[in-house]
């Protein structure tokens, strides 16, 4: 397996993990307030700014962190990871999301 | 403008749904060339690898358009659903956004394993990546469709 393959595999494994952690722990490096069409690094008052969208920040965190780690991880370490992890970990995350969000329905 | 974006989002989603479903069926089992007589066999008998680039592009485009539409949903649709006490509708949208993100993250590995020439040893990985992505696409398509039409689906 070449370096590119290892990087893609690590990116795909990490992206879902970091995204899930970001929304579970509510890591918001920024927020978008659609009512006033404004990005903000700080939480703004809901009365004037309306509800925020955190999803953009969670995706941005996951993309940047996964890309950096995928680039930094030594190729020899990455090659030890079985290819199946590329779908097994995201599949577990999908299951975790479904379980976590069940409170909307019961 | 929002309506136009929503229509394009929906049309891209339909194309993505078709492509990923073809691929998901195609990897389910190997079809002998002579067994392509029934509709299902012909549906499965496509060259699955040829769909990969299109699926990546369609997934990214559909998600980007969804992200552009999200502010309108947050301002208009979600408060309406909350007023109508439709918690389940809000819940399935929450799941939709998370699955879209997880699907987006899957794409680099998916694209790599579907690069030509295909590595025979990675056939199982390819199959499960496709099925996982197909689950995400089908779930998100159905949720988007139901939410878009939810007023018409509710009893008057």
């Amino acid at each position: 397996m070449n370096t590119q393959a290892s990087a893609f595999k690590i990116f795909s494994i990490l992206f879902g993990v970091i995204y899930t952690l970001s929304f579970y722990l509510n890591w918001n490096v920024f927020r978008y307030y659609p009512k006033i069409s404004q990005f903000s690094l700080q939480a703004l008052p809901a009365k004037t700014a309306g509800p925020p969208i955190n999803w953009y920040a969670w995706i941005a965190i996951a993309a940047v962190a996964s890309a950096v780690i995928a680039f930094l991880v030594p190729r020899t370490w990455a090659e030890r990871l079985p290819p199946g992890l590329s779908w097994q970990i995201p599949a577990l995350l999908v299951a975790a999301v479904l379980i976590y969000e069940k409170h909307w329905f019961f | 403008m929002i309506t136009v974006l929503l229509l394009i989002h929906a049309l891209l989603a339909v194309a993505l749904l078709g492509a990923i479903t073809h691929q998901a069926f195609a990897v389910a089992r190997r079809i002998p060339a002579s067994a392509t007589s029934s509709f299902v066999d012909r549906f499965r008998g496509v060259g699955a690898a040829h769909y990969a680039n299109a699926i990546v592009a369609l997934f990214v485009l559909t998600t980007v358009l969804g992200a552009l539409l999200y502010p309108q949903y947050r301002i208009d649709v979600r408060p309406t659903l909350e007023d109508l006490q439709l918690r389940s509708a809000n819940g399935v949208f929450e799941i939709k956004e998370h699955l879209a993100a997880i699907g987006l993250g899957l794409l680099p590995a998916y694209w790599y394993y579907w690069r030509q020439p295909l590595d025979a040893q990675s056939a199982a990985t390819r199959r499960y990546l496709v099925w996982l992505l197909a689950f995400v696409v089908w779930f998100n398509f159905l949720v988007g469709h139901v939410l878009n039409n939810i007023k018409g689906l509710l009893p008057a």
Side-chain angles (χ1 to χ4, degrees):
Chain A
M1 187 182 290
N2 61 31
T3 310
Q4 192 186 27
S6 306
F8 284 173
K9 192 169 68 176
I10 289 182
F11 181 92
S12 284
I13 292 168
L14 286 177
F15 187 99
V17 172
I18 297 170
Y19 172 85
T20 307
L21 279 175
S22 298
F23 96 77
Y24 183 72
L25 301 170
N26 211 15
W27 290 339
N28 298 313
V29 286
F30 64 86
R31 297 161 182 82
Y32 180 70
Y33 289 88
K35 190 178 165 189
I36 55 171
S37 304
Q38 192 179 312
F39 284 95
S40 173
L41 295 175
Q42 271 100 39
L44 301 177
K47 219 173 213 179
T48 51
I53 292 176
N54 301 318
W55 188 64
Y56 302 143
W58 298 334
I59 287 186
I61 291 169
V64 172
S66 309
V68 169
I69 297 170
F71 181 72
L72 292 177
V73 168
R75 182 182 157 184
T76 47
W77 292 10
E79 283 175 355
R80 285 185 207 151
L81 294 172
L85 286 182
S86 304
W87 66 268
Q88 288 161 351
I89 290 180
L92 283 175
L93 293 171
V94 167
V97 162
L98 294 175
I99 292 166
Y100 178 77
E101 298 289 4
K102 74 178 190 309
H103 66 91
W104 291 96
F105 310 100
F106 304 107
Chain B
M1 185 62 183
I2 286 294
T3 309
V4 173
L5 281 180
L6 191 61
L7 282 172
I8 297 170
H9 179 60
L11 290 172
L12 287 171
V14 168
L16 175 60
L17 192 72
I20 196 79
T21 307
H22 261 301
Q23 200 179 47
F25 273 80
V27 298
R29 65 180 170 91
R30 214 170 264 285
I31 307 293
S34 60
T36 55
S37 53
S38 73
F39 171 77
V40 175
D41 284 341
R42 284 196 296 276
F43 191 86
R44 283 173 163 173
V46 297
H50 302 303
Y51 287 81
N53 287 342
I55 286 169
V56 171
L58 286 167
F59 197 102
V60 171
L61 281 173
T62 308
T63 308
V64 167
L65 275 180
L68 292 175
L69 288 163
Y70 196 174
Q72 198 68 31
Y73 173 87
R74 194 68 186 84
I75 294 173
D76 285 342
V77 182
R78 184 167 171 153
T80 306
L81 297 176
E82 284 167 352
D83 290 344
L84 295 169
Q85 299 191 336
L86 293 170
R87 275 182 58 80
S88 301
N90 271 326
V92 288
F93 184 84
E94 293 287 313
I95 295 172
K96 176 178 154 82
E97 70 174 6
H98 297 323
L99 295 196
I102 292 170
L104 207 55
L106 265 184
L107 294 179
Y110 167 86
W111 178 80
Y112 179 79
Y113 285 112
W114 277 102
R115 275 196 335 169
Q116 302 274 17
L118 297 178
D119 172 19
Q121 287 186 324
S122 305
T125 302
R126 268 196 301 280
R127 182 185 313 129
Y128 294 120
L129 280 170
V130 170
W131 287 350
L132 187 56
L133 215 49
F135 173 77
V136 167
V137 169
W138 268 96
F139 182 92
N140 284 4
F141 180 85
L142 292 174
V143 168
H145 193 63
V146 168
L147 287 180
N148 194 42
N149 298 299
I150 199 157
K151 279 188 179 171
L153 295 171
L154 289 173

